[in-house]
Amino acid sequence: MTIKPDGFEPPYPTPSLFEADRSNPYLAKAAELRDIFALDAIERDQSGGRPTEQIRLLKESGLVNLVIPKEFGGAGEPYSTAMRIVREFAKVDGSLGHLYGYHFSPLQNAVTTAHDERSRNILRRSAAGRWFWGNTTNSFSKSLFGRQEGERVILNGVRPFASGSHVADYLMVAWEDETTNRRSFAYIPADRKGITITDDWDGIGQRQTGSGRVLYKDVEIEKSEILPDRPQVPITLLAPLQQQSVLLNVFVGSAQGALAAARDYTVAKSRPWIYSGVERHSDDPWIKRQYGELWTKVQAATALADRALSAVDAVYAKGPDLTADERGEAAIAVASANVLAGRVALEVTSEIFEVMGARSAVRPLGFDRFWRNVRIHTLHNPAEYKTRNVGTWFLNGEFPEPGIFQ
């Protein structure tokens, strides 16, 4: 690990704070990987690029197969376990938390349609190959079009915000038919001829997510790769809850990691203000009060996030028997947790500098990455509209219509 300025070598995170449940072997493995990822998290954040070695370790660990049912060669863990691992990684590296969480979206899509042989086949192959998944399905961008040529579809265009594409073995791709504008989906290898992954993401945060553009030039999609139409029933309308769960757990993990790292710095390195009247910064009543408030906020956000995870597990367990109201109740639980988690994460990742002091605000220490990661995620996921959905439900009993970000 690189030694930081004035001898401070931050342990990420403090073991006694927000520690994973190590009785679960998958969470225990995730905590081990988290500590490995922490060793160069600051340097990787500042350089951007591809977390190639980290993805290799993830695949080697088998955690990429976490939610694939055992009958197809996976671990058969509930979705909540994957999201708790997202938190673990986000404690030190928001990019890896994001990538790991989004990796499961195509797999969960396949799990909910496992009666279809194409879905069953993709689950078996993904488990056997320990594939890492990326996406080029951006729903806001009508910029990738397909034309039918016999049994194949030929794609041309571009997809922005293609998170994970730069480290993916396989991609989930969506396009519009150039004649009918009908939207279709397919699972394809990331190295398919005609695909150019530009890896041109240059955001202020989430520096290694590869959320840039993927270019398509006469890319051939076989009929067997195109996903069948999914019936619009509650169990097939859970993709927004998946995505929102990833984001809110990146928020929670980032807040937990920032607070733990700040606490360590405050105890080890912060100096008391000249008018505080104390010899140790940690004895200042102001610092104690502010840490108390930050701790309480993070605990509240974590509790609501845990409640949301239980709700998501419950709707998946219902399978085809899931009702629209049950889906709606879970959507409200996830939206509520997301709103609080984003707000708390923004507050915590900013306010830690006040309690650490001026010497903490230097680039080599990398404390700013927590705020930058959270800030960029919240901009792509406005809390205002989720808050309105929750308020509408509270006042009128109306659940949000199933749709992206709902």
Side-chain angles (χ1 to χ4, degrees), residues 20 142 192 212 223 238 290 402:
K142 308 302 181 184
R192 174 67 52 85
K223 182 179 179 180
L238 298 182
Q290 197 156 0

Side-chain angles (χ1 to χ4, degrees), residues 6-26:
D6 59 19
F8 178 64
E9 187 176 350
Y12 291 125
T14 301
S16 60
L17 297 178
F18 313 112
E19 184 64 355
D21 176 12
R22 289 182 180 259
S23 65
N24 181 310
Y26 303 106

Side-chain angles (χ1 to χ4, degrees), residues 205-225:
Q206 299 298 85
R207 297 278 297 149
Q208 289 200 313
T209 58
S211 301
R213 300 173 302 154
V214 174
L215 311 180
Y216 285 78
K217 176 64 174 176
D218 295 329
V219 175
E220 297 183 0
I221 307 294
E222 301 292 339
K223 182 179 179 180
S224 61
E225 296 173 321

Side-chain angles (χ1 to χ4, degrees), residues 63-79:
L63 290 179
V64 292
N65 291 342
L66 193 73
V67 305
I68 297 176
K70 291 182 179 179
E71 64 183 293
F72 303 118
E77 282 288 299
Y79 192 62

Side-chain angles (χ1 to χ4, degrees), residues 159-174:
R159 279 288 189 225
F161 297 113
S163 300
S165 58
H166 64 327
V167 290
D169 299 299
Y170 249 67
L171 298 172
M172 187 173 183
V173 58

Side-chain angles (χ1 to χ4, degrees), residues 52-72:
T52 305
E53 175 62 12
Q54 290 69 33
I55 297 301
R56 184 190 70 78
L57 291 173
L58 265 176
K59 293 170 67 173
E60 187 179 87
S61 73
L63 290 179
V64 292
N65 291 342
L66 193 73
V67 305
I68 297 176
K70 291 182 179 179
E71 64 183 293
F72 303 118

